[in-house]
Amino acid sequence: EGDVFKYYTDGEWKKSASGKSVAIINPTTRTTQYKVQACTQEEVNKVMESSKIAQKHWAKTPLWKRAELLHKAAAILKEHKAPIAECLVKEIAKPAKDTVTEVVRSGDLISYCAEEGVRILGEGKFLVSDSFPGNERTKYCLTSKIPLGVVLAIPPFNYPVNLAVSKIGPALIAGNSLVLKPPTQGAVACLHMVQCFNLAGFPKGLISCVTGKGSEIGDFLTMHPGVNCISFTGGDTGISISKKAGMVPLQMELGGKDACIVLEDADLDLVAANIIKGGFSYSGQRCTAVKVVLVMESVADALVEKVNAKVAKLKVGPPEEDCDITPVVSESSANFIEGLAKDAKTKGATFCQEYKREGNLIWPLLLDNVRPDMRIAWEEPFGPIVPVIRINSIEEGIHHCNASNFGLQGCVFTKDINKAILISDAMETGTVQINSAPARGPDHFPFQGLKDSGIGSQGITNSINMMTKIKSTVINLP
Ligand code: G3P
């Protein structure tokens, strides 16, 4: 009680001079669980300075040594999975078993970054001049990949650890230093994770973690002249960051309204299982969640019945008891979700279950006969509510999907692979899954969104490349 977790800079855990803290509210109990330091802009300036100095040395550290340290951090992270998972349960109300999975997946991600990094950064290109018209073979060009400098990583609340290391791993193996601004819900899990990097023995200043109020240090960080790259995952804030950020490479993964298109020949048991997994896991708080089902009218009744049978079996309650549906992250989020449900009610959607809420806990809800005039047809609830829109043609489904301002992922269920490929080509999303719910992983797969869903492509290989720049040396022969 009263303890405030310290922030991490220059290899040390420190208290902020502000004397202020930020409270982390447990979504289940709705009381203060932890407190973190409210860092000041001056402290951010110091973090940036030491980050810059540390990066210069790190860039000269042999690649294999960087990899070795990352492997060490990965192992330590996995050893510490229990206390980190415990924080995730308390801070973001993620079901207990999923919190352990998140930490283990993160350790694997770091190790994979180390392995991938030594391969792709261990190679460069050699070009000769006489392939371009008018040139003799008098110039040899050697290219290699060099780090960008200081990478600013801002992960979201739904995967505070995993989406932090998906930025930290690529940044560090590529020779960058990293400043982490964790989400408030999930900050303590992030601080524990950073302690694993500390224990692994990374040089001072190479990785820092600043906590604080977005209003005080948010823009200050993203607009800081010391930042050479921003990797952000989250909501709309990403759009304003991209407008304010300077001339630095941006990697952004923002919202999604992932559609699930169901054709008449689909295996409806498979579809129902994937709607449950895709729409309701972590109570729908994933950017890749199934956020609208577009099902052919002729199979809609049968599908809705199968999904309803599975919804009835979902366990609703606290994350400690490994319930499927747990309280959503905040009261304002619960209010927003409720607003979408009420709007759908007024406009005549069919409620397959009764709407029920206690505090931040919202019972899973399938809404049938949703029409395009309802907000839920377009907006991202980030909660356990899945709308079903009945369609009469594949074109209608594709049209709805492409009319969205989002374009993260989508999925199509059919036994006809030719149709599936044509639909995939027609869907304006970064990824289309055939016969499975959208998902980011495995973590080395490319992950990207079109339109308002993001900038650039993630996945381990793409992130490593994105966090580097090509450097050429040209040898001019006499
Ligand atoms: O919402 C975060 C996004 O990256 C989803 O990841 O693994 O749940 O598909 P995943």
Side-chain angles (χ1 to χ4, degrees):
E1 182 62 27
D3 275 359
V4 183
F5 281 89
K6 293 176 180 160
Y7 76 105
Y8 185 68
T9 179
D10 236 345
E12 282 174 40
W13 294 97
K14 287 190 182 156
K15 278 188 184 166
S16 167
S18 73
K20 291 185 192 147
S21 63
V22 180
I24 296 164
I25 312 291
N26 180 323
T28 312
T29 62
R30 293 191 291 157
T31 57
T32 299
Q33 182 74 41
Y34 306 119
K35 285 179 193 159
V36 293
Q37 306 290 325
C39 292
T40 63
Q41 296 187 349
E42 215 161 292
E43 282 157 348
V44 168
N45 281 335
K46 284 209 185 105
V47 163
M48 288 300 167
E49 261 169 54
S50 54
S51 208
K52 189 172 177 174
I53 297 166
Q55 192 270 328
K56 301 279 176 218
H57 294 283
W58 183 243
K60 294 195 176 77
T61 305
L63 196 43
W64 67 265
K65 276 196 182 169
R66 291 186 223 155
E68 213 171 64
L69 276 172
L70 281 168
H71 280 301
K72 211 168 156 192
I76 296 172
L77 185 69
K78 285 186 179 180
E79 278 166 30
H80 291 232
K81 62 178 186 270
I84 299 172
E86 166 79 13
C87 292
L88 292 171
V89 169
K90 302 292 181 206
E91 291 184 277
I92 64 165
K94 186 173 274 198
K97 63 174 178 337
D98 296 342
T99 60
V100 176
T101 311
E102 174 169 346
V103 183
V104 174
R105 171 184 181 182
S106 301
D108 291 338
L109 195 158
I110 298 169
S111 291
Y112 198 107
C113 284
E115 288 163 13
E116 186 73 347
V118 293
R119 303 281 169 262
I120 63 176
L121 300 167
E123 273 182 10
K125 271 191 175 179
F126 172 58
L127 295 87
V128 289
S129 51
D130 62 338
S131 60
F132 198 85
N135 281 271
E136 298 299 322
R137 202 181 183 91
T138 51
K139 290 173 189 286
Y140 292 166
C141 177
L142 304 169
T143 76
S144 64
K145 286 175 181 150
I146 57 166
L148 297 175
V150 179
V151 174
L152 173 64
I154 309 181
F157 81 82
N158 62 351
Y159 288 93
V161 174
N162 185 258
L163 284 170
V165 305
S166 76
K167 304 170 192 313
I168 297 171
L172 296 188
I173 191 67
N176 300 286
S177 59
L178 189 124
V179 176
L180 174 66
K181 162 66 180 77
T184 297
Q185 306 292 137
V188 177
C190 277
L191 292 168
H192 275 69
M193 176 270 293
V194 167
Q195 168 67 352
C196 298
F197 282 84
N198 182 35
L199 293 172
F202 279 87
K204 277 184 182 181
L206 191 68
I207 171 163
S208 328
C209 186
V210 281
T211 53
K213 293 197 175 76
S215 54
E216 173 75 12
I217 57 166
D219 279 355
F220 192 74
L221 269 166
T222 54
M223 294 166 80
H224 201 284
V227 169
N228 305 112
C229 169
I230 303 174
S231 180
F232 174 91
T233 307
D236 293 352
T237 328
I239 297 180
S240 63
I241 291 176
S242 70
K243 285 180 182 148
K244 290 181 206 158
M247 205 177 74
V248 297
L250 301 177
Q251 186 180 47
M252 300 254 159
E253 187 224 321
L254 313 179
K257 186 71 185 170
D258 294 6
C260 170
I261 301 184
V262 186
L263 304 197
E264 284 159 319
D265 69 341
D267 173 345
L268 296 183
D269 289 311
L270 179 71
V271 183
N274 274 279
I275 290 174
I276 295 295
K277 181 172 113 220
F280 294 106
S281 53
Y282 189 36
S283 306
Q285 298 174 109
R286 296 164 54 236
C287 35
T288 48
V290 167
K291 296 202 180 101
V292 60
V293 177
L294 302 159
V295 57
M296 289 296 279
E297 177 69 60
S298 60
V299 292
D301 283 343
L303 178 65
V304 166
E305 201 186 307
K306 284 180 191 291
V307 177
N308 280 336
K310 289 184 189 292
V311 168
K313 289 191 187 135
L314 291 173
K315 221 174 124 197
V316 182
E320 288 85 355
E321 288 170 25
D322 258 337
C323 291
D324 303 301
I325 304 293
T326 53
V328 297
V329 73
S330 65
E331 190 172 342
S332 65
S333 175
N335 291 343
F336 176 78
I337 298 161
E338 182 164 306
L340 292 177
K342 280 188 175 158
D343 172 81
K345 185 102 199 165
T346 322
K347 293 174 182 158
T350 307
F351 277 55
C352 299
Q353 295 78 24
E354 205 184 321
Y355 174 74
K356 195 174 163 195
R357 171 181 171 186
E358 271 170 24
N360 294 352
L361 185 61
I362 294 178
W363 269 250
L365 181 59
L366 190 73
L367 298 177
D368 196 2
N369 297 303
V370 166
R371 287 189 322 266
D373 64 324
M374 300 174 189
R375 287 176 55 204
I376 192 78
W378 307 104
E379 294 181 41
E380 191 183 17
F382 239 66
I385 299 192
V386 177
V388 176
I389 299 181
R390 293 166 175 242
I391 53 172
N392 290 300
S393 67
I394 295 174
E395 290 68 30
E396 207 184 317
I398 292 170
H399 179 264
H400 185 92
C401 166
N402 292 351
S404 170
N405 55 330
F406 293 117
L408 191 58
Q409 293 206 359
C411 59
V412 53
F413 286 85
T414 173
K415 292 191 186 98
D416 185 335
I417 189 67
N418 297 322
K419 271 189 193 161
I421 302 271
L422 288 173
I423 293 169
S424 170
D425 285 349
M427 285 169 86
E428 292 166 1
T429 61
T431 301
V432 174
Q433 306 268 352
I434 298 173
N435 292 326
S436 187
R440 170 168 50 110
D443 290 334
H444 67 305
F445 278 16
F447 181 51
Q448 56 279 319
L450 305 184
K451 299 189 269 188
D452 285 354
S453 288
I455 302 175
S457 181
Q458 300 178 74
I460 290 168
T461 315
N462 286 339
S463 291
I464 294 173
N465 283 325
M466 185 266 171
M467 291 173 183
T468 61
K469 218 174 172 146
I470 303 284
K471 162 82 185 257
S472 310
T473 299
V474 180
I475 302 168
N476 289 273
L477 303 173

